[in-house]
Amino acid sequence: WTLAGDLCIERSVDSAAVRSYARRVRLLGLDFGNKRVGLAVSDASGTLARPLRTITRTSSLEDFIRVLVDEIRGLQTDADGLGGVVVGLPRRLDGSASEQTVRVRAFADRLRSEIDLPLTFQDERLSSREAEGRLALRERDWRRRKKSIDAAAAAVILQDHLDQLNSCGTFE
């Protein structure tokens, strides 16, 4: 990450293009799973993330991509708009890639081809555990927590990304 004027720029080895985000835009965070995908959205100032909803995958990946693209387009037409998508990238605790890492990258590549927004990855290690801990403070019933865990994990992932964006002048 580098700071260039009012922009925080990520130079990604995953993409030949340089992805940039204005520091003050609303972003969508995704926690992609085999059965469910959690969605979170930031405020318009790009400071705080909140859980939005969980979408259960009941059909093929192509059908699911269409549902997600419709969701993204809806957010783009909101008054606050949408400036980009942040996808949680699972890795093992030692940082190495897992089978799910490959699935998420394939999903993100497919999604990227359908939307006209920048898409980037955020390390999601331990995000579900952190989300579970936060939810457990408010909700004792694990059945109710389970319904919210994916969106809460997406909010943790997105908040981590926002925190990095807001301090991007301090690390590369």
Side-chain angles (χ1 to χ4, degrees):
W1 296 94
T2 59
L3 186 61
D6 288 332
L7 295 179
C8 188
I9 301 171
E10 175 192 86
R11 287 181 172 72
S12 174
V13 288
D14 297 350
S15 172
V18 173
R19 304 284 179 205
S20 65
Y21 295 97
R23 294 189 93 183
R24 302 292 178 219
V25 296
R26 194 167 74 152
L27 299 175
L28 176 68
L30 301 177
D31 180 28
F32 179 81
N34 292 330
K35 295 181 182 179
R36 291 176 303 277
V37 176
L39 282 70
V41 68
S42 73
D43 62 349
S45 71
T47 304
L48 297 173
R50 67 174 175 84
L52 184 61
R53 71 177 51 91
T54 298
I55 300 175
T56 301
R57 291 180 51 192
T58 58
S59 58
S60 71
L61 182 60
E62 289 302 314
D63 289 340
F64 176 72
I65 292 284
R66 275 186 288 243
V67 168
L68 194 53
V69 167
D70 289 343
E71 184 79 27
I72 290 169
R73 289 189 179 137
L75 290 169
Q76 283 180 289
T77 61
D78 283 353
D80 290 330
L82 190 67
V85 177
V86 178
V87 178
L89 187 65
R91 294 192 175 276
R92 293 188 176 98
L93 288 179
D94 67 2
S96 62
S98 66
E99 289 179 21
Q100 188 67 4
T101 307
V102 175
R103 284 189 207 96
V104 168
R105 284 189 183 279
F107 158 77
D109 287 344
R110 182 69 185 91
L111 180 61
R112 185 181 279 136
S113 72
E114 295 292 328
I115 61 174
D116 58 346
L117 291 169
L119 184 148
T120 193
F121 295 102
Q122 176 66 38
D123 186 346
E124 74 167 32
R125 282 179 281 181
L126 301 176
S127 62
S128 293
R129 184 163 298 190
E130 182 177 341
E132 172 68 23
R134 289 180 184 185
L135 288 173
L137 295 173
R138 293 189 345 237
E139 179 58 61
R140 290 183 175 258
D141 184 355
W142 65 269
R143 289 174 206 91
R144 289 185 185 173
R145 286 196 312 262
K146 186 175 180 180
K147 293 178 184 177
S148 305
I149 191 70
D150 298 293
V156 169
I157 292 163
L158 182 55
Q159 189 63 57
D160 287 348
H161 184 76
L162 294 172
D163 292 346
Q164 286 182 353
L165 281 178
N166 289 326
S167 65
C168 70
T170 61
F171 67 96
E172 297 280 325

